[in-house]
mmCIF file of all heavy atoms in Angstrom:
data_model
loop_
_atom_site.group_PDB
_atom_site.id
_atom_site.type_symbol
_atom_site.label_atom_id
_atom_site.label_comp_id
_atom_site.label_asym_id
_atom_site.label_seq_id
_atom_site.Cartn_x
_atom_site.Cartn_y
_atom_site.Cartn_z
ATOM 1 N N LEU B 302 0.707 65.283 65.612
ATOM 2 C CA LEU B 302 0.776 64.410 64.429
ATOM 3 C C LEU B 302 2.188 63.911 64.161
ATOM 4 O O LEU B 302 2.375 62.912 63.480
ATOM 5 C CB LEU B 302 0.255 65.159 63.206
ATOM 6 C CG LEU B 302 -1.270 65.258 63.116
ATOM 7 C CD1 LEU B 302 -1.665 66.074 61.903
ATOM 8 C CD2 LEU B 302 -1.902 63.877 63.059
ATOM 9 N N LEU B 303 3.187 64.609 64.714
ATOM 10 C CA LEU B 303 4.562 64.178 64.496
ATOM 11 C C LEU B 303 4.862 62.867 65.219
ATOM 12 O O LEU B 303 5.798 62.154 64.875
ATOM 13 C CB LEU B 303 5.531 65.259 64.970
ATOM 14 C CG LEU B 303 5.636 66.463 64.032
ATOM 15 C CD1 LEU B 303 6.455 67.563 64.668
ATOM 16 C CD2 LEU B 303 6.251 66.044 62.701
ATOM 17 N N ALA B 304 4.060 62.557 66.253
ATOM 18 C CA ALA B 304 4.297 61.317 66.992
ATOM 19 C C ALA B 304 3.770 60.120 66.209
ATOM 20 O O ALA B 304 4.135 58.979 66.485
ATOM 21 C CB ALA B 304 3.629 61.383 68.359
ATOM 22 N N ARG B 305 2.905 60.384 65.228
ATOM 23 C CA ARG B 305 2.251 59.298 64.501
ATOM 24 C C ARG B 305 3.231 58.378 63.765
ATOM 25 O O ARG B 305 3.153 57.159 63.918
ATOM 26 C CB ARG B 305 1.222 59.890 63.539
ATOM 27 C CG ARG B 305 0.349 58.868 62.914
ATOM 28 C CD ARG B 305 -0.804 59.512 62.198
ATOM 29 N NE ARG B 305 -1.942 59.685 63.096
ATOM 30 C CZ ARG B 305 -3.209 59.628 62.685
ATOM 31 N NH1 ARG B 305 -3.486 59.438 61.413
ATOM 32 N NH2 ARG B 305 -4.193 59.759 63.525
ATOM 33 N N PRO B 306 4.181 58.948 62.985
ATOM 34 C CA PRO B 306 5.132 58.050 62.309
ATOM 35 C C PRO B 306 5.921 57.196 63.307
ATOM 36 O O PRO B 306 6.268 56.054 63.001
ATOM 37 C CB PRO B 306 6.071 59.011 61.573
ATOM 38 C CG PRO B 306 5.300 60.269 61.431
ATOM 39 C CD PRO B 306 4.396 60.347 62.625
ATOM 40 N N GLU B 307 6.163 57.753 64.499
ATOM 41 C CA GLU B 307 6.874 56.955 65.498
ATOM 42 C C GLU B 307 6.020 55.787 65.977
ATOM 43 O O GLU B 307 6.526 54.687 66.191
ATOM 44 C CB GLU B 307 7.288 57.833 66.681
ATOM 45 C CG GLU B 307 8.613 58.498 66.427
ATOM 46 C CD GLU B 307 8.938 59.565 67.450
ATOM 47 O OE1 GLU B 307 8.556 59.408 68.626
ATOM 48 O OE2 GLU B 307 9.576 60.558 67.048
ATOM 49 N N GLY B 308 4.726 56.025 66.139
ATOM 50 C CA GLY B 308 3.813 54.941 66.502
ATOM 51 C C GLY B 308 3.854 53.839 65.457
ATOM 52 O O GLY B 308 3.939 52.647 65.783
ATOM 53 N N ILE B 309 3.804 54.252 64.184
ATOM 54 C CA ILE B 309 3.851 53.259 63.100
ATOM 55 C C ILE B 309 5.190 52.530 63.108
ATOM 56 O O ILE B 309 5.255 51.313 62.921
ATOM 57 C CB ILE B 309 3.587 53.931 61.740
ATOM 58 C CG1 ILE B 309 2.211 54.602 61.761
ATOM 59 C CG2 ILE B 309 3.661 52.911 60.616
ATOM 60 C CD1 ILE B 309 1.868 55.338 60.506
ATOM 61 N N ALA B 310 6.283 53.287 63.367
ATOM 62 C CA ALA B 310 7.604 52.653 63.420
ATOM 63 C C ALA B 310 7.631 51.571 64.502
ATOM 64 O O ALA B 310 8.141 50.469 64.273
ATOM 65 C CB ALA B 310 8.683 53.708 63.679
ATOM 66 N N ILE B 311 7.052 51.879 65.680
ATOM 67 C CA ILE B 311 7.016 50.863 66.742
ATOM 68 C C ILE B 311 6.200 49.655 66.287
ATOM 69 O O ILE B 311 6.591 48.508 66.512
ATOM 70 C CB ILE B 311 6.425 51.447 68.049
ATOM 71 C CG1 ILE B 311 7.247 52.651 68.510
ATOM 72 C CG2 ILE B 311 6.395 50.389 69.147
ATOM 73 C CD1 ILE B 311 6.589 53.455 69.621
ATOM 74 N N GLY B 312 5.066 49.916 65.617
ATOM 75 C CA GLY B 312 4.235 48.823 65.089
ATOM 76 C C GLY B 312 5.038 47.920 64.162
ATOM 77 O O GLY B 312 4.925 46.691 64.219
ATOM 78 N N LEU B 313 5.855 48.536 63.316
ATOM 79 C CA LEU B 313 6.651 47.737 62.372
ATOM 80 C C LEU B 313 7.770 46.991 63.093
ATOM 81 O O LEU B 313 8.114 45.865 62.718
ATOM 82 C CB LEU B 313 7.228 48.635 61.276
ATOM 83 C CG LEU B 313 6.173 49.174 60.304
ATOM 84 C CD1 LEU B 313 6.781 50.201 59.375
ATOM 85 C CD2 LEU B 313 5.561 48.019 59.502
ATOM 86 N N ILE B 314 8.330 47.621 64.133
ATOM 87 C CA ILE B 314 9.363 46.921 64.913
ATOM 88 C C ILE B 314 8.746 45.683 65.574
ATOM 89 O O ILE B 314 9.346 44.602 65.586
ATOM 90 C CB ILE B 314 9.983 47.873 65.969
ATOM 91 C CG1 ILE B 314 10.784 48.964 65.248
ATOM 92 C CG2 ILE B 314 10.875 47.107 66.932
ATOM 93 C CD1 ILE B 314 11.271 50.079 66.164
ATOM 94 N N ILE B 315 7.510 45.835 66.089
ATOM 95 C CA ILE B 315 6.812 44.679 66.672
ATOM 96 C C ILE B 315 6.690 43.577 65.630
ATOM 97 O O ILE B 315 7.033 42.407 65.880
ATOM 98 C CB ILE B 315 5.409 45.082 67.179
ATOM 99 C CG1 ILE B 315 5.516 46.076 68.334
ATOM 100 C CG2 ILE B 315 4.607 43.848 67.592
ATOM 101 C CD1 ILE B 315 4.198 46.682 68.749
ATOM 102 N N ALA B 316 6.217 43.957 64.427
ATOM 103 C CA ALA B 316 6.051 42.967 63.359
ATOM 104 C C ALA B 316 7.381 42.300 63.042
ATOM 105 O O ALA B 316 7.460 41.069 62.901
ATOM 106 C CB ALA B 316 5.467 43.635 62.115
ATOM 107 N N ALA B 317 8.451 43.100 62.967
ATOM 108 C CA ALA B 317 9.762 42.550 62.626
ATOM 109 C C ALA B 317 10.230 41.567 63.696
ATOM 110 O O ALA B 317 10.732 40.484 63.375
ATOM 111 C CB ALA B 317 10.772 43.681 62.458
ATOM 112 N N ILE B 318 10.072 41.946 64.974
ATOM 113 C CA ILE B 318 10.521 41.056 66.052
ATOM 114 C C ILE B 318 9.771 39.729 65.988
ATOM 115 O O ILE B 318 10.361 38.658 66.117
ATOM 116 C CB ILE B 318 10.318 41.735 67.428
ATOM 117 C CG1 ILE B 318 11.278 42.924 67.565
ATOM 118 C CG2 ILE B 318 10.552 40.739 68.561
ATOM 119 C CD1 ILE B 318 11.060 43.756 68.815
ATOM 120 N N VAL B 319 8.449 39.802 65.770
ATOM 121 C CA VAL B 319 7.656 38.573 65.702
ATOM 122 C C VAL B 319 8.146 37.695 64.551
ATOM 123 O O VAL B 319 8.379 36.489 64.711
ATOM 124 C CB VAL B 319 6.158 38.901 65.541
ATOM 125 C CG1 VAL B 319 5.372 37.657 65.201
ATOM 126 C CG2 VAL B 319 5.619 39.538 66.810
ATOM 127 N N ILE B 320 8.341 38.309 63.376
ATOM 128 C CA ILE B 320 8.760 37.520 62.210
ATOM 129 C C ILE B 320 10.154 36.916 62.452
ATOM 130 O O ILE B 320 10.385 35.729 62.186
ATOM 131 C CB ILE B 320 8.744 38.390 60.935
ATOM 132 C CG1 ILE B 320 7.298 38.764 60.607
ATOM 133 C CG2 ILE B 320 9.364 37.643 59.764
ATOM 134 C CD1 ILE B 320 7.148 39.733 59.460
ATOM 135 N N ILE B 321 11.075 37.727 63.006
ATOM 136 C CA ILE B 321 12.424 37.213 63.272
ATOM 137 C C ILE B 321 12.366 36.032 64.260
ATOM 138 O O ILE B 321 13.023 35.009 64.070
ATOM 139 C CB ILE B 321 13.342 38.337 63.817
ATOM 140 C CG1 ILE B 321 13.635 39.333 62.695
ATOM 141 C CG2 ILE B 321 14.644 37.768 64.366
ATOM 142 C CD1 ILE B 321 14.309 40.605 63.170
ATOM 143 N N ALA B 322 11.521 36.187 65.309
ATOM 144 C CA ALA B 322 11.410 35.107 66.292
ATOM 145 C C ALA B 322 10.927 33.820 65.632
ATOM 146 O O ALA B 322 11.448 32.728 65.903
ATOM 147 C CB ALA B 322 10.453 35.517 67.412
ATOM 148 N N ILE B 323 9.950 33.942 64.728
ATOM 149 C CA ILE B 323 9.415 32.761 64.056
ATOM 150 C C ILE B 323 10.483 32.118 63.173
ATOM 151 O O ILE B 323 10.701 30.908 63.210
ATOM 152 C CB ILE B 323 8.193 33.152 63.175
ATOM 153 C CG1 ILE B 323 7.132 33.866 64.002
ATOM 154 C CG2 ILE B 323 7.644 31.954 62.434
ATOM 155 C CD1 ILE B 323 6.301 33.033 64.858
ATOM 156 N N VAL B 324 11.185 32.955 62.391
ATOM 157 C CA VAL B 324 12.203 32.423 61.488
ATOM 158 C C VAL B 324 13.318 31.735 62.294
ATOM 159 O O VAL B 324 13.725 30.613 61.979
ATOM 160 C CB VAL B 324 12.782 33.559 60.611
ATOM 161 C CG1 VAL B 324 13.984 33.072 59.829
ATOM 162 C CG2 VAL B 324 11.710 34.070 59.657
ATOM 163 N N LEU B 325 13.783 32.407 63.356
ATOM 164 C CA LEU B 325 14.833 31.821 64.191
ATOM 165 C C LEU B 325 14.408 30.469 64.747
ATOM 166 O O LEU B 325 15.172 29.503 64.717
ATOM 167 C CB LEU B 325 15.160 32.751 65.358
ATOM 168 C CG LEU B 325 16.222 33.826 65.100
ATOM 169 C CD1 LEU B 325 16.470 34.619 66.372
ATOM 170 C CD2 LEU B 325 17.512 33.165 64.626
ATOM 171 N N SER B 326 13.162 30.397 65.243
ATOM 172 C CA SER B 326 12.728 29.140 65.844
ATOM 173 C C SER B 326 12.658 28.041 64.793
ATOM 174 O O SER B 326 12.968 26.887 65.069
ATOM 175 C CB SER B 326 11.381 29.319 66.530
ATOM 176 O OG SER B 326 10.401 29.598 65.571
ATOM 177 N N GLN B 327 12.269 28.415 63.560
ATOM 178 C CA GLN B 327 12.224 27.417 62.485
ATOM 179 C C GLN B 327 13.629 26.913 62.168
ATOM 180 O O GLN B 327 13.843 25.713 61.984
ATOM 181 C CB GLN B 327 11.594 28.023 61.225
ATOM 182 C CG GLN B 327 10.122 28.328 61.350
ATOM 183 C CD GLN B 327 9.317 27.095 61.682
ATOM 184 O OE1 GLN B 327 9.444 26.069 61.037
ATOM 185 N NE2 GLN B 327 8.484 27.193 62.710
ATOM 186 N N ILE B 328 14.587 27.848 62.118
ATOM 187 C CA ILE B 328 15.970 27.447 61.821
ATOM 188 C C ILE B 328 16.498 26.521 62.922
ATOM 189 O O ILE B 328 17.092 25.472 62.652
ATOM 190 C CB ILE B 328 16.868 28.692 61.678
ATOM 191 C CG1 ILE B 328 16.445 29.474 60.432
ATOM 192 C CG2 ILE B 328 18.337 28.299 61.591
ATOM 193 C CD1 ILE B 328 17.141 30.804 60.272
ATOM 194 N N LEU B 329 16.247 26.914 64.182
ATOM 195 C CA LEU B 329 16.698 26.088 65.301
ATOM 196 C C LEU B 329 16.104 24.690 65.218
ATOM 197 O O LEU B 329 16.796 23.686 65.384
ATOM 198 C CB LEU B 329 16.299 26.734 66.625
ATOM 199 C CG LEU B 329 17.199 27.863 67.110
ATOM 200 C CD1 LEU B 329 16.655 28.460 68.388
ATOM 201 C CD2 LEU B 329 18.614 27.334 67.329
ATOM 202 N N LEU B 330 14.786 24.626 64.923
ATOM 203 C CA LEU B 330 14.111 23.330 64.807
ATOM 204 C C LEU B 330 14.742 22.499 63.705
ATOM 205 O O LEU B 330 14.996 21.311 63.863
ATOM 206 C CB LEU B 330 12.630 23.538 64.490
ATOM 207 C CG LEU B 330 11.707 23.755 65.674
ATOM 208 C CD1 LEU B 330 10.302 24.015 65.191
ATOM 209 C CD2 LEU B 330 11.738 22.526 66.575
#
Side-chain angles (χ1 to χ4, degrees):
Chain B
L302 282 177
L303 285 172
R305 189 169 271 212
E307 274 169 34
I309 301 178
I311 302 168
L313 290 172
I314 292 171
I315 295 171
I318 292 174
V319 169
I320 293 174
I321 290 169
I323 305 283
V324 171
L325 272 183
S326 66
Q327 291 301 310
I328 293 173
L329 280 177
L330 274 177

